[in-house]
Each structure stands twice: as C-alpha cells, then as structure tokens.
Amino acid sequence: MIRLQYTIPFMLSVAVTATVSAAGRDYISIVGSSTVYPFATVVAEQFGRSSGMKTPKVESTGSGGGMKLFCTGVGVEHPDITNSSRRMKASEFKKCQANGVTGIIEVKIGYDGIVLANSKQSPQVNVSRKDIYLALAKEIPDPSGAERPVPNPHKTWKDVNPSLPANKIEVLGPPPTSGTRDAFVELAMEGGCKTFGWIKAMKKQDKKNYKSVCHTIREDGAFIEVGENDNLIVQKLLANPKALGVFGFSFLDQNADRIQGSLVDNKEPTFENIADGSYPVSRPLYFYVKKAHVGVIPGVKEFLAEFTSDKAWGDEGYLSDKGLIPMPEQERGKFAYDVRALNILSSL
Amino acid sequence: MMKTAAKIQASLKKRYAAERRFRSYGLVSVAIGLAALLLLFISIIANGYTAFQQTYLKLDVQFDEAIIDPKGTRDPQTLARADYGKLIKKTMRERFPDVKNRRDKRKLYKLVSPGAVFSIQGMVRKDPRLIGTTQTVWVPADDDVDMLIKGYINRDDPESARRLKDKEIAWIDAFAATGSMEKRFNKTFFTAGDSREPELAGIWGAVVGSFYTLLVTLVLSFPVGVAAAVYLQEFAPRNRWTDLIEVNINNLAAVPSIVFGLLGLSVFLNFMALPRSAPLVGGLVLSLMTLPTVIIASRASLQSVPPSIREGALGMGASQMQMVAHHVLPLAMPGMLTGTIIGMSRALGESAPLLMIGMVAFIVNAPEGPLDPSTVLPVQIYLWADTPERAFVERTSAATLVLLGFLVVMNGAAVWLRTRFEQRW
C-alpha cells in the first residue's frame, strides 16, 4: 500500500527546489524563420563546439513570429537575434523602435532559391513565370483579351500554354504562414502577373486590387497546401509523378536523385544560376541582431564573427554545403564590415 | 404447439447465421485495428532500424606535435584551440596520395564527419601524452557515406543524380576493401543532443527534457488532481455548483491541446514572465492538460470503493478525514495511479502545446534543470522530420521507436499496477 502522507510532501519539495529561479542568461537566444533555421543551427552548433561557450538556442517560429518576439523589448527575457526569410518591414521596424529596440544590426547571409520540381519519372518541365501565374492564380486576365480579371478557367498545363503537356494542374506547396509561400507568390506569381501591361499599370492606382489579383492563389484544388514540411512534399511528388511541388533549393539539392527542378524562364535552378541571379525565383535571407545585447549576453560578438566568416558563409563554406547560396564576395565584405563595426539600421 | 416449434426450428439457422455474422463484424474490426497498428510498426521499424548503426572509418592519425602544440607547453588552452582538422586532413591525404586537385581534396576530407575533429580533440585533452604518437582511431563517417553503405544511395543512378560521385565512391570502396570501415552500434544516437550533422545527432537532450517536463507535470497534476477528486467525491455537497464544476472538468478533458499552449503563452510567458523553452513551463502547460484526466480517473476510482468501507470506518469512530486518508484513499490509489500514468503518457507524446512556448528549438546541450532551455522527444521528431538531410529520415523513425518504447513501458506499468493492486468487490 502506498504511504500517501509521505509522497505528497516529497513531491512538493521537489516542486519547490525545481522552481528556484535563475537570473540572467548565458546562452544566445535566436528565433525566426524556418527557412533560415537550417543555416542558423549549423552556425550555432559550430560556434558551440569550437568556442567552448554554450550552444545558442535556435527556435523555429517563422519570420513574422520571430520579428514579433524580437521587437517586444530589450533584456534577457527577449531574444537576441531573429532570422528572417525576407527583409524587415517598415511597420516592424517602427514597432521595434517604439519598444526600445533601437539599435538593430541587419545582416544578409545569402540567397535561397525556390524551386518548382517534379519526380524524375516524368519529363522535366519548362515554364515561364507567366505560365506559373496563369496556372495558379485565383483570378487571371480574361483570356479573350478584355482587361478584367476572371476566375481561373485553366484545368491543364496545356490550357495555360500549348507547348506544355496536357497534365492536370496539380501543385503542392506550403501554406500562407510560410515564408517560402510569401516569396513564391512575390517572385514567381507577381513576376508573371506584371507581364500584363494593364495589371502593372494598376499597381500605381489601386495597389490593393493589384495585390489581390497578383498574389491570390487559387483555392479550387489545383494548388494543394501540404503544411510546412518540405520532406512531405518531396514524398508526395514521388507518389504522384504528374504533380509539381514548391519548396526550398536545399531540399532539391538533397534529393537530386529522385526529383528534378523545373526550368523557370529557361533557367534551371542550379547553385550557379541562383548565385549569379539569373534564376528568377530566389530571395535573400537575413538575420537581425540587437546591439544592446552585444557584450551583455555572452558570445553574441563571437557568434556574429563565426556567422560572417568565410569558413561559414563563403563560397566554399559549410553553409553552402547545406544549400545556402553565398553572396558575391563584395557584398559579403560589406555586411561583415557592418557587423564588425556594429553599424545599426537607421531606417527602412 | 407444433407450429411454434417448427417456426423456431425454421428460424434457428437464420439466428445462428446472424450470431456468426455479428461476431465476425467484431473480429473484422479488431483485425483492422491490429493491421493498422502492425502497418505503423512495420513502416517505422523498417525505416528506423538502420539508424541504430552508424558507419565508422578507421584512420591512423599521427598526433603531430608541430600542429597541435608547436611550442611544447601542453597548455590546456593551446590544446583546446589547436587545429585538429589538419591532422585528419593530413591522414586522408596520406591515405590517398594521388588526390591532388583542390576540389577533389575537399571532397575527400568530407568523407569524414565534422565530429571526428571533436573526438580527436577529446582524446588529446584527456591524455596529452598521445601527442607525437600515431594512433588508430575509429571516427564516424559522413552521413552521405553512411547512406551509401546502408543502400539509400543507389550506385546505379547516373552520376549527376547522386550525392556521391564516382570518385568518392571509389575512395569509400578503398576504405571498405582494407577493412577500415565498419558499421557499429550508434551510441551517439542515445548519448548526444541534437545536431545538424545526422551522424552526430542524438536524442539524449530530448529525453532529459521530456524527463524534466514530465516530472513537473507529475508533481503538479497528481497531488492537485487527487485532492480535487477527493473533495468532489467525498466532501462536496451535490448542488448546482458542483454539477457545473463537473461538466467543466469533463469539457476540459476534451479541449484540443494546442489551446493549452496558447494559454501557457499568454499566462506563463507573457504575464508571469517565466523563461521561454523551459521544461518548467512545458510541465505547467501539460499538467493543465492532464489534470482533467487525472481528476476523472481518480473520481472513478474513489467511486468504486464500496460504501461499506466508509461506513465501517465512520462506525469505528474515525473522523471524515481519517476515513478518507486511512481507508478510502489507499484502496483507490492503484486506480488513481493508473489514471495518472495514462495521463502522463499522453503528455509525453504531446508536441502541439509546446510549439507555442518555444520548445520547438534547436538545442544541443541537454538541460541541467527544469529552467534550462530544452525540447522533448515528440518535438525532436517533428524537427528532424523537417530537415533536408536524407539521413535524418531514418533517425526520425528511430526516435519515434524510442518514444513508442517509453509509451509501451508506461502503459505497461499502468496495466501492471491495475492487475497487481486493484481490489475487486
């Protein structure tokens, strides 16, 4: 039989000793984009192993969530660094300033390509951004030529462009919360959307309408949201060779034996094409640092030095092995200099 | 009379058939359930069992004094900072002297895991006398090599589609031919924290995190749950208020777990300013989630204690409290513990509420207490499932196997407690 009168006090005493609070923080706290996560973690691990300091904690919260946490304030309870798969927005910058986060150092770390890929069992696809837009947008310009948006009537790729195969339009991609989706919409969809003169003209007059025409993905089943797991998309592509998938370049890089990237505007998504900017669907990746935390949280300066070293983000650094596309040397030099000098963002 | 008997006789066959059909429905349902379970186990085991082995390479590393400690001071600082990567690179170059091209050399060095540097560093720090000698060291191979050996990279694919090119495969085969490569038990998987290199990644950090989280959950939800159940069952008057409380407890048990995470975010993190990513907060959130389960199970178990026991105790002059503490509670305890363990095993498998409070994070060091940042096992599985490296696929399954193992043990303990201690009246 269990002696209750002894178990309860014992458990309570455990609870009390467990809640003795620890002040301060002896590790770097990083939040932000799930796209930058695989790169930030590699640097964090390398830093932890080689510096003898504690390995930074890297949370995967998404770019927007990271900015929110980052801009909440200055102090040990707030993160030191936030990763982002897009540049900080002016509204976020303002919010940061309002909460006392005034010294923000911006660091661009490199580029990431977004690929449209399919299984190797099917032939490689060659599309233009215009094709992507016409296949996936909820509303497209009236095919008859009238300057008004109509619900997307296209069922197969052949409907979009006669040179494409007569396969059903079936694209697997991330949900709207994902930075990859944002970038895909902005770079591929909007890129195709802008090829229509009257829509481009609309941008100046009616920005809201322009955005809704260019940025809204169709919801009738042609675009299938698969969740923020790129591995899952890869597996579904293997199961369904007729479907296309949208995800980050590093997943294509790791699975090059099973899937192939589609050519976009006649450019193949290769390391070289993304690095020199000729592949159109690529975006820069960033992280932001609080200047006020440098010197307060141990290791921030050393971590920045590790991240901006050629050993990490250089042409042959370990980040490029993980699929990050390095910046040109001159650009790297500029950001490395800003980091060393702790130059802060003055405005956006 | 005869007519009825004939009628019964005639319908008998039909009734037997209906009986058999009814049973077969049940049997088929059980079979479907078992098949689903079997499928789950087979797919996880088939994907995961290979992760318990890891390919190692044998290197004859010359611990060159000129590289490690050129001044010969044996100063621990110098030993810590030395470039041990150079030793490995040198060893690899000497092994394959005809590799001259810079690009090829880089590829050659990459056959060895980046973790090899740290194991050599560790050796030297432990025993500086190794400097100047040549030692045979087994170091983990890179994950790509491991994938080739385990058959996940197909040699017949065209070279452009393979992560390992013909040259690299030739080097690996040379290692294999001389017996300097073998698959060993993957101890790292059980002793290391998270890592971005699959061959260095382990579940220890997540296991410790799960332990602290569950400890907090247990310490909070068990006493509170039992006390609430005892009051509601033994002392509370039956009125509208207690009915309301009861309905709410039952409702809480059915609330999706993510909601508790949102609550944790706004109350424990934003309002009480507890640290993010800490097992303490995870435990608080999960104990909110398990409390209803514990209360409901505890009440059911109190209810099953026959009233004669209570009346007997009261009749002998025991006070209400004595009756409960000395007689009813001990008899109800096995049932309460069973309920608690089942609640805990649910908490162990939970990841959704922990997303909200920052436990979905890359954390290398195992936590040393409930305030250190940490993850838990299901979150580790979630994180690995989303990494690009192919070698993490098998590790994801292997970690799932470990989690399932813990769940089986906990549920087994619940069954054992029930059969061993439960009294039937």
Side-chain angles (χ1 to χ4, degrees):
Chain A
M1 216 128 289
I2 293 126
R3 280 287 180 87
L4 188 77
Q5 47 272 60
Y6 299 126
T7 23
I8 287 184
F10 167 72
M11 286 180 165
L12 287 180
S13 68
V14 173
V16 170
T17 37
T19 42
V20 175
S21 77
R25 174 151 60 78
D26 59 350
Y27 56 89
I28 302 170
S29 166
I30 304 173
V31 294
S33 163
S34 55
T35 313
V36 186
Y37 172 89
F39 309 124
T41 46
V42 177
V43 181
E45 185 176 354
Q46 198 71 28
F47 166 78
R49 287 188 196 268
S50 59
S51 70
M53 280 185 253
K54 271 203 176 170
T55 307
K57 175 187 89 180
V58 189
E59 277 182 54
S60 167
T61 61
S63 300
M67 287 292 178
K68 211 170 146 189
L69 287 167
F70 181 80
C71 288
T72 320
V74 170
V76 286
E77 66 272 31
H78 303 295
D80 313 311
I81 296 175
T82 186
N83 299 320
S84 182
S85 55
R86 53 169 171 77
R87 203 162 182 223
M88 185 182 255
K89 290 179 188 161
S91 59
E92 288 162 344
F93 183 74
K94 241 184 240 160
K95 199 182 155 212
C96 255
Q97 305 286 326
N99 289 334
V101 187
T102 46
I104 303 168
I105 306 160
E106 181 184 58
V107 189
K108 196 199 240 186
I109 60 168
Y111 296 91
D112 177 38
I114 296 170
V115 300
L116 196 66
N118 65 352
S119 160
K120 281 214 160 160
Q121 295 159 35
S122 301
Q124 197 170 26
V125 181
N126 183 354
V127 290
S128 65
R129 276 179 286 174
K130 190 172 163 187
D131 297 337
I132 295 177
Y133 169 69
L134 290 178
L136 295 178
K138 192 175 177 189
E139 288 183 317
I140 59 165
D142 197 331
S144 69
E147 294 193 349
R148 62 187 166 93
V150 293
N152 196 334
H154 299 312
K155 293 263 183 288
T156 68
W157 287 99
K158 210 179 173 70
D159 296 342
V160 174
N161 180 343
S163 69
L164 290 170
N167 291 334
K168 209 175 111 193
I169 299 173
E170 227 180 331
V171 177
L172 307 161
T177 46
S178 148
T180 309
R181 163 85 167 251
D182 288 347
F184 176 73
V185 164
E186 258 164 52
L187 298 163
M189 300 261 298
E190 193 178 331
C193 184
K194 273 194 300 207
T195 55
F196 294 92
W198 63 273
I199 299 184
K200 200 175 177 189
M202 197 162 82
K203 188 175 182 180
K204 291 215 176 82
Q205 298 141 15
D206 188 355
K207 205 168 179 190
K208 214 169 158 191
N209 205 8
Y210 168 78
K211 269 206 162 167
S212 100
V213 172
C214 288
H215 285 195
T216 315
I217 286 190
R218 61 200 288 189
E219 290 151 358
D220 55 359
F223 186 88
I224 305 153
E225 285 174 9
V226 192
E228 289 212 44
N229 187 329
D230 291 352
N231 269 331
L232 197 65
I233 300 184
V234 172
Q235 300 210 339
K236 295 208 164 176
L237 289 183
L238 296 175
N240 179 2
K242 289 208 168 126
L244 289 166
V246 176
F247 43 83
F249 172 73
S250 46
F251 285 82
L252 176 65
D253 195 31
Q254 287 281 340
N255 293 289
D257 56 335
R258 303 187 287 180
I259 49 174
Q260 59 198 350
S262 309
L263 280 74
V264 177
D265 294 346
N266 293 319
K267 287 287 178 189
E268 197 168 0
T270 59
F271 193 90
E272 292 74 20
N273 283 346
I274 300 170
D276 67 18
S278 60
Y279 179 75
V281 198
S282 79
R283 58 176 162 175
L285 303 176
Y286 297 88
F287 70 84
Y288 294 87
V289 190
K290 274 176 201 163
K291 193 180 178 180
H293 285 199
V294 180
V296 177
I297 305 291
V300 176
K301 206 161 188 171
E302 292 83 348
F303 177 76
L304 293 179
E306 172 78 37
F307 215 132
T308 56
S309 68
D310 258 10
K311 178 172 85 137
W313 73 358
D315 287 329
E316 295 195 332
Y318 54 77
L319 287 175
S320 75
D321 293 339
K322 291 282 173 192
L324 180 78
I325 317 286
M327 292 181 280
E329 202 169 343
Q330 206 184 352
E331 210 178 355
R332 286 206 302 271
K334 180 201 163 282
F335 279 102
Y337 172 77
D338 280 352
V339 166
R340 265 197 309 277
L342 299 176
N343 288 341
I344 61 169
L345 266 182
S346 48
S347 66
L348 270 178
Chain B
M1 240 358 227
M2 270 313 278
K3 238 178 168 177
T4 336
K7 242 185 191 168
I8 291 173
Q9 204 65 43
S11 71
L12 202 56
K13 218 174 150 191
K14 228 169 131 189
R15 283 167 63 201
Y16 276 133
E19 177 92 15
R20 273 195 302 273
R21 259 199 320 276
F22 187 67
R23 282 191 195 181
S24 66
Y25 292 153
L27 213 63
V28 167
S29 309
V30 171
I32 290 174
L34 279 180
L37 193 71
L38 210 65
L39 196 71
L40 174 81
F41 270 95
I42 289 174
S43 82
I44 292 178
I45 292 172
N47 274 327
Y49 80 97
T50 45
F52 296 120
Q53 286 201 314
Q54 159 71 32
T55 310
Y56 279 76
L57 298 174
K58 188 171 86 175
L59 300 178
D60 294 318
V61 179
Q62 188 198 346
F63 288 77
D64 193 342
E65 186 163 9
I67 293 176
I68 304 173
D69 189 10
K71 291 195 193 125
T73 55
R74 298 293 186 272
D75 173 30
Q77 281 285 329
T78 321
L79 295 189
R81 286 217 194 106
D83 186 357
Y84 295 94
K86 259 190 189 158
L87 297 180
I88 291 172
K89 286 177 185 167
K90 199 170 150 210
T91 312
M92 293 298 276
R93 275 201 309 271
E94 278 164 8
R95 197 170 176 121
F96 298 97
D98 25 313
V99 179
K100 294 274 190 269
N101 177 315
R102 208 176 98 81
R103 267 196 111 87
D104 287 351
K105 273 190 196 162
R106 262 173 65 87
K107 281 200 177 125
L108 179 63
Y109 300 152
K110 260 190 211 145
L111 296 183
V112 181
S113 159
V117 173
F118 304 110
S119 53
I120 288 181
Q121 186 181 30
M123 282 173 73
V124 172
R125 284 169 99 169
K126 215 161 112 193
D127 186 7
R129 280 173 305 177
L130 289 177
I131 298 172
T133 64
T134 301
Q135 298 287 329
T136 303
V137 193
W138 285 91
V139 294
D142 189 61
D143 54 318
D144 284 336
V145 178
D146 195 39
M147 289 292 98
L148 178 80
I149 299 303
K150 287 174 180 167
Y152 290 107
I153 293 179
N154 189 356
R155 288 164 185 255
D156 302 332
D157 280 340
E159 192 178 9
S160 63
R162 263 187 270 125
R163 279 190 61 77
L164 290 174
K165 308 297 171 207
D166 290 344
K167 264 186 201 153
E168 290 163 293
I169 290 180
W171 294 329
I172 296 166
D173 289 342
F175 262 106
T178 53
S180 343
M181 182 165 68
E182 64 182 43
K183 277 204 276 185
R184 295 182 163 191
F185 177 66
N186 189 358
K187 213 174 97 190
T188 318
F189 183 73
F190 294 98
T191 55
D194 196 3
S195 168
R196 282 309 316 287
E197 303 299 332
E199 67 274 14
L200 304 178
I203 53 169
W204 180 243
V207 169
V208 177
S210 272
F211 169 76
Y212 280 122
T213 310
L214 284 191
L215 185 72
V216 174
T217 311
L218 180 68
V219 161
L220 287 170
S221 64
F222 182 65
V224 174
V226 169
V230 166
Y231 179 78
L232 286 174
Q233 198 64 31
E234 304 290 333
F235 297 98
R238 296 257 167 272
N239 60 25
R240 204 180 296 163
W241 292 110
T242 46
D243 280 352
L244 190 73
I245 290 174
E246 192 169 342
V247 168
N248 273 306
I249 289 172
N250 289 337
N251 275 342
L252 269 184
V255 166
S257 55
I258 188 94
V259 175
F260 292 103
L262 289 168
L263 181 86
L265 173 67
S266 63
V267 176
F268 300 132
L269 293 188
N270 294 347
F271 180 67
M272 289 166 69
L274 289 171
R276 268 182 86 78
S277 321
L280 174 69
V281 183
L284 284 169
V285 167
L286 291 180
S287 59
L288 289 180
M289 198 191 79
T290 39
L291 254 182
T293 321
V294 175
I295 294 177
I296 291 168
S298 300
R299 288 189 66 178
S301 148
L302 285 168
Q303 214 158 21
S304 71
V305 176
S308 57
I309 304 255
R310 295 183 180 84
E311 282 152 17
L314 293 176
M316 293 300 286
S319 71
Q320 276 264 356
M321 195 195 106
Q322 284 170 328
M323 179 268 282
V324 169
H326 296 172
H327 300 277
V328 179
L329 209 47
L331 287 171
M333 199 41 88
M336 293 179 166
L337 286 177
T338 308
T340 310
I341 293 176
I342 288 170
M344 297 298 282
S345 61
R346 209 188 123 198
L348 173 65
E350 199 58 71
S351 65
L354 305 179
L355 298 177
M356 295 286 133
I357 54 168
M359 288 185 92
V360 180
F362 176 75
I363 290 155
V364 172
N365 312 79
E368 281 157 18
L371 286 165
D372 286 348
S374 85
T375 57
V376 293
L377 264 175
V379 170
Q380 188 67 73
I381 292 167
Y382 168 80
L383 283 172
W384 282 354
D386 203 17
T387 37
E389 286 82 10
R390 189 83 68 82
F392 270 119
V393 174
E394 56 168 23
R395 276 160 179 83
T396 309
S397 294
T400 314
L401 273 179
V402 173
L403 178 65
L404 282 175
F406 278 118
L407 290 176
V408 167
V409 168
M410 285 174 78
N411 289 330
V415 171
W416 179 77
L417 266 177
R418 197 159 55 212
T419 49
R420 177 82 175 72
F421 291 109
E422 193 173 51
Q423 296 224 19
R424 288 184 191 283
W425 285 281

